[in-house]
Amino acid sequence: MKMNMIAGLMLAAMLTGCNSNEWDVTSDLTVDRVDPTIGLSPLAEQQGMDYAPLYWSVYGQLRQQEKEGSFPNIFTEADWDKAIDYVATNLKPYGYDMLVTDGFASMSGDNGYMTRYSRTKKDEHSPEVELSTIIEKLRKKGLKLGIYDSPFWLHYTNPDALIPGTKYTVGSLRYNPKTDTDVLHPTRDDKFGWVVTDHPGAEQYFEGFFKHYSSMGVKFIRMDFLSWYEDGMNYTDQIDRGYGRERYVKGLQWINKYARKYGVYVSLVMPHLKNNAIIERYAGNMIRIDADALEGSWYRFSDNNRGTLRGGWPNSENAFDGFINWSKISGRRKVRLDGDFIRIGSYANDAEKQAVISLPLMAGGPLSVTDMPTGHDLSFFQNSEILALQKEGFVGQPLARDLWSTDGEIWYGQMKDGSWVIGLFNRGETMAQRTLDFSRIGLSGRWNMRDLWKHSNEGTVSEKIEVEVPGHGCRILKLTKVG
């Protein structure tokens, strides 16, 4: 049956072009001759794991330091104090309960697992901040720490430290050119201290990773650069050695197993998503579906290489295309889609700012705040009516997986109370009309309509919705049955 499925996908790939709306991301259709999900169930099916988080990330500040070349990039205890106070005051009352680390800063530990994050000064020899210190600061404000790390990475100063429960050292998990002769690009340098998953002790190392963080109270982990491990590729560039599909799948199977055991929420970043994300749908609660936000802006949210899909990371170069294309795999008790960080200050006007907040929520994804917006910009993250979608685990879908027609810009879904939420977006630059015939989503009768951004009741509608939507904007409307 698996071979028949793969043969069918190969035929479909030959018959369709890369911009076809029926095209499915597969890249290499020779992989997965054996179903890699046998014996697994999706992490999102676990009790309490069917949601997308609201959180704040250090990304903005560290990204700016990276651009400026002010090595080493740092996020000090004073920075944490400022960020924690900001989130506790401005975001926690609206449901944002977590602060999350990111790359760009030092990540180290002694025996294989990270215990310290960031230097304390602009000096690579200065001390590092202990994770336990950060966690305690957050605990005092009723907040949690999320971690940017991966069980595919090694952090150690002592390569001879034993992997818990084994006779093997953490150093033995590294690439060995004498025995690991089947890596894809042996002349390339490793960009990370990768764990080679067919080395003895690798599975115990993966379990130890989840046990380590769970014991510290960390229940959210973002795992990045997965494509570099699988085949070393990023866009069309060969970046890393590439350890192969089999080693990659084995690692994700362990992630599924031990994230479940220790109750950790997994966010997968930069995966190729081969064979329609066959393994990632099981190993992740959430999956990044577009290229990095970088400095933000409408261009990166909607226009960057619009309509172009690739067979590897990044499948889409803008979040809007990513949400449309991968809506085929998301849903309640299914994996959630992550469009990356929201740099609200980079958007030109209120219409754009409403759209960049609304689409992730209509798609069932997270809101990941970065930087420290204030005043009017902050208010976009504090709309309780639209945040209600995240609170109840809402997941919508577009009328069609179409990257160019307005059907891809009209989203809909049902709330648990029976009401419906309709998102009408406009990726164009000028005001445009959007129409939704109720018959297309199986509705009939009369409905009360409320605008969730205007906080106003808009009367009753029947048969269809017909509204004007500003360029780069949206209308988010809630329909409640009359009577």
Side-chain angles (χ1 to χ4, degrees), residues 9 28 94 156 226 312 356 361 382 461:
L9 288 171
D28 180 359
Y94 297 90
Y156 60 76
L226 295 172
V356 77
L361 293 176
Q382 297 174 326
V461 290

Side-chain angles (χ1 to χ4, degrees), residues 350-351 354-355 358-359 362 386 389 409-412 421-427 431-436 449-459 461 465-478:
D350 285 5
Q354 288 179 2
S358 299
L359 184 60
M362 286 300 305
I386 200 161
L389 276 66
E409 300 176 31
I410 298 176
W411 287 66
Y412 68 98
V421 181
I422 312 298
L424 303 113
F425 294 85
N426 179 4
R427 300 178 76 175
M431 184 79 73
Q433 183 173 285
R434 292 288 179 266
T435 301
L436 171 63
M449 185 167 74
R450 182 171 176 80
D451 189 306
L452 300 187
W453 279 109
K454 294 181 180 179
H455 305 295
S456 64
N457 295 322
E458 304 287 299
V461 290
I465 294 173
E466 196 168 59
V467 296
E468 295 291 312
V469 182
H472 294 185
C474 67
R475 296 285 301 278
I476 308 299
L477 306 171
K478 184 175 182 178

Side-chain angles (χ1 to χ4, degrees), residues 37-50:
T37 67
I38 292 173
L40 307 180
S41 59
L43 292 182
E45 291 184 356
Q46 294 180 96
Q47 186 175 1
M49 290 293 185
D50 182 22

Side-chain angles (χ1 to χ4, degrees), residues 6 42 63 71 79 167 272 421 423 434 437 482:
I6 292 174
R63 166 69 183 168
F71 183 81
D79 292 327
K167 62 181 180 181
H272 284 310
V421 181
R434 292 288 179 266
D437 290 320
V482 173

Side-chain angles (χ1 to χ4, degrees), residues 146-295:
I147 285 290
Y148 175 91
D149 197 3
S150 172
F152 286 105
W153 298 343
L154 291 164
H155 307 280
Y156 60 76
T157 55
N158 177 18
D160 296 322
L162 291 178
I163 300 164
T166 78
K167 62 181 180 181
Y168 304 106
T169 65
V170 292
S172 71
L173 299 178
R174 295 291 299 271
Y175 168 70
N176 183 338
K178 295 180 179 179
T179 56
D180 299 318
T181 57
D182 60 343
V183 297
L184 301 180
H185 305 279
T187 61
R188 292 284 179 177
D189 292 330
D190 279 336
K191 302 302 180 183
F192 295 92
W194 296 115
V195 173
V196 185
T197 57
D198 55 6
H199 284 199
E203 181 173 359
Q204 291 91 337
Y205 177 82
F206 267 61
E207 178 173 9
F209 173 92
F210 287 98
K211 184 176 182 180
H212 165 72
Y213 281 121
S214 181
S215 67
M216 297 178 76
V218 172
K219 298 293 186 177
F220 175 90
I221 303 178
R222 294 185 77 237
M223 303 176 186
D224 204 352
F225 295 100
L226 295 172
S227 63
W228 291 13
Y229 185 85
E230 184 174 2
D231 64 7
M233 297 296 293
N234 188 41
Y235 291 88
T236 57
D237 299 325
Q238 188 63 54
I239 303 294
D240 214 308
R241 284 197 176 98
Y243 286 88
R245 178 71 174 179
E246 289 187 9
R247 291 188 180 101
Y248 172 74
V249 165
K250 183 180 292 186
L252 264 66
Q253 289 169 335
W254 293 339
I255 288 170
N256 175 279
K257 179 179 180 179
Y258 294 115
R260 178 183 307 280
K261 180 175 179 178
Y262 293 100
V264 174
Y265 188 104
V266 175
S267 173
L268 302 177
V269 182
M270 285 182 60
H272 284 310
L273 303 178
K274 294 181 180 180
N275 289 352
N276 290 301
I278 187 172
I279 186 64
E280 290 87 356
R281 282 183 281 172
Y282 283 73
N285 299 88
M286 188 162 72
I287 297 174
R288 264 278 299 284
I289 40 78
D290 65 305
D292 293 11
L294 300 181
E295 277 57 69

